[in-house]
Amino acid sequence: MNSVTVTDPAKDYLRGIAKSNNSSYVWFGVDGGGCSGFTYKWDFADEVKDGTVVDCGDGIGLIVDSTSEIYILGSTIDFVKEIDGSFLKISNPTASSSCGCGVSFNVKSP
């Protein structure tokens, strides 16, 4: 079982951006900061050093940072196309609040 679920449209998007950046993996994690407390972080990687890998197909994977898993456990990552643009949408059940742009969030107290 993966710590996050990645929809097929998100997998397609992640494969495309990884390939266009000559990378085998897209790295996903959380960092302190942002207007709500935590910020989602994205990067590219050529190897898995630590974390859970979600297979996106064609030899491309999403690395979920092991340190960040507690803050994003059970999240769903989707790729959404809207009239004013497209983006990766993260539905995070551990988030108690988020900012208007959806980049930062705060977590529920245990």
Side-chain angles (χ1 to χ4, degrees):
M1 180 172 149
N2 292 320
S3 56
V4 299
T5 300
V6 183
T7 66
D8 288 339
K11 287 178 181 179
D12 291 343
Y13 175 76
L14 293 170
R15 272 196 315 271
I17 63 168
K19 287 179 180 179
S20 69
N21 283 278
N22 297 314
S23 295
S24 299
Y25 300 96
V26 176
W27 179 91
F28 174 58
V30 172
D31 198 9
C35 53
S36 292
F38 294 97
T39 304
Y40 297 115
K41 292 290 186 177
W42 300 92
D43 204 352
F44 298 100
D46 291 321
E47 62 183 74
V48 180
K49 294 181 181 173
D50 189 21
T52 304
V53 177
V54 178
D55 182 20
C56 293
D58 295 336
I60 304 297
L62 173 70
I63 302 170
V64 179
D65 177 57
S66 61
T67 306
S68 302
E69 282 183 317
I70 191 169
Y71 302 110
I72 54 179
L73 189 64
S75 293
T76 298
I77 301 172
D78 192 15
F79 183 67
V80 178
K81 292 181 182 181
E82 294 182 347
I83 196 163
D84 58 347
S86 56
F87 57 94
L88 286 168
K89 178 181 179 182
I90 301 163
S91 298
N92 184 346
T94 67
S96 61
S97 62
S98 63
C99 65
C101 65
V103 173
S104 70
F105 65 101
N106 203 344
V107 293
K108 299 174 186 174
S109 299

